[in-house]
């Protein structure tokens, strides 16, 4: 699990890559067999995607307001 402090240190390109990787992980896990799915993997990936998107939006809003 990634902490927000670590996410804030990443560049925009790294955050975009993190979002796409998390979405791919979520998609791949959802389409697995019913008995081999791991709910913790799905929720962890969704959480990382949400954190990365939150940071990207915060950066975008800070540059717009200046």
């Amino acid at each position: 699990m990634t902490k927000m402090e670590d996410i804030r240190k990443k560049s925009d390109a790294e955050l975009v890559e993190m979002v796409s990787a998390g979405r791919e992980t979520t998609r791949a896990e959802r389409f697995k067999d019913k008995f081999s799915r791991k709910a913790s993997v799905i929720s962890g990936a969704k959480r990382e995607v949400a954190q990365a998107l939150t940071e990207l939006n915060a950066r975008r809003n800070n540059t717009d307001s200046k």
Side-chain angles (χ1 to χ4, degrees):
M1 185 178 303
T2 309
K3 296 188 177 193
M4 277 305 286
E5 298 141 2
D6 298 333
I7 290 175
R8 287 188 183 105
K9 294 176 185 176
K10 294 184 183 244
S11 69
D12 289 347
E14 289 174 325
L15 290 174
V16 169
E17 177 60 33
M18 187 177 181
V19 168
S20 64
R23 286 180 173 163
E24 177 59 30
T25 301
T26 303
R27 188 200 65 76
E29 195 68 26
R30 283 183 64 225
F31 287 107
K32 281 186 177 179
D33 181 35
K34 176 179 168 181
F35 299 106
S36 63
R37 286 186 207 154
K38 300 255 191 293
S40 62
V41 172
I42 294 172
S43 62
K46 287 171 70 174
R47 180 184 173 116
E48 284 187 3
V49 168
Q51 288 175 330
L53 288 174
T54 299
E55 182 60 26
L56 282 170
N57 286 329
R59 290 180 186 181
R60 186 177 310 131
N61 289 336
N62 285 339
T63 58
D64 288 345
S65 63
K66 291 182 181 178

